[in-house]
Amino acid sequence: MSAALTLATTEHFARLDALVAAFHAEEGIALSDEARAAGLQPLLDGIPHGVAYLIGPPRAPIGYVVVTFGWSIEFGGMDGFVDEIYIRPGVRGRGIATEVLLALPRALGDAGVKALHLEVGSENATAQRLYARAGFRLRDGYHLMTRML
């Protein structure tokens, strides 16, 4: 099984949308089809605020990862946030997500990204171990906080 990454474009919308819908169903994220498309389509159209990658063969992807971009004085420039990462249940546990999370910093670092962040549930020990294997660390004294607008 390969963790090869393909930059998703408009031609990949249907396959990516199906994967995102599966992830959202698994995580209990309630989002209409229209709202999901509104979040995905600009990424596929090439907006500068983020990218979506298909994991595995583009014709039959086994997952996806979305990274959004921001700017940080503290980190010295552009930073990225792993917004979503999903591997189909049938192929989990084979090191694919670890391989993706190890490859992303190399690729994004070459493009000028200075730091890569992600969010993990405090009770999700499996994901915490995965992210730690890929080099992510908790920042002492910091918590992600959100205000919905």
Side-chain angles (χ1 to χ4, degrees):
M1 197 58 57
S2 169
L5 297 175
T6 300
L7 184 65
T9 63
T10 55
E11 72 183 74
H12 302 117
F13 178 81
R15 288 183 283 274
L16 181 59
D17 185 51
L19 290 166
V20 174
F23 173 64
H24 287 187
E26 187 176 310
E27 291 294 313
I29 299 171
L31 199 61
S32 71
D33 294 345
E34 295 78 19
R36 188 174 59 250
L40 282 176
Q41 193 62 58
L43 293 171
L44 305 183
D45 291 339
I47 64 164
H49 308 293
V51 293
Y53 292 100
L54 297 173
I55 301 169
R59 292 187 181 266
I62 58 172
Y64 73 95
V65 61
V66 171
V67 179
T68 59
F69 302 118
W71 192 264
S72 172
I73 295 170
E74 178 181 358
F75 291 107
M78 187 169 30
D79 60 353
F81 193 97
V82 177
D83 184 56
E84 294 186 1
I85 183 168
Y86 174 75
I87 305 294
R88 289 185 188 274
V91 293
R92 289 182 190 160
R94 300 180 187 182
I96 296 166
T98 301
E99 190 177 332
V100 167
L101 291 171
L102 289 171
L104 273 178
R106 289 190 297 267
L108 296 173
D110 290 345
V113 174
K114 305 295 186 189
L116 191 58
H117 316 281
L118 53 74
E119 178 181 25
V120 61
S122 59
E123 302 298 319
N124 191 341
T126 301
Q128 290 175 26
R129 285 191 302 274
L130 161 67
Y131 300 148
R133 279 193 308 272
F136 289 86
R137 302 288 176 257
L138 292 173
R139 293 184 66 207
D140 289 338
Y142 288 88
H143 296 280
L144 179 67
M145 297 174 70
T146 303
R147 178 179 174 182
M148 300 299 291
L149 306 178

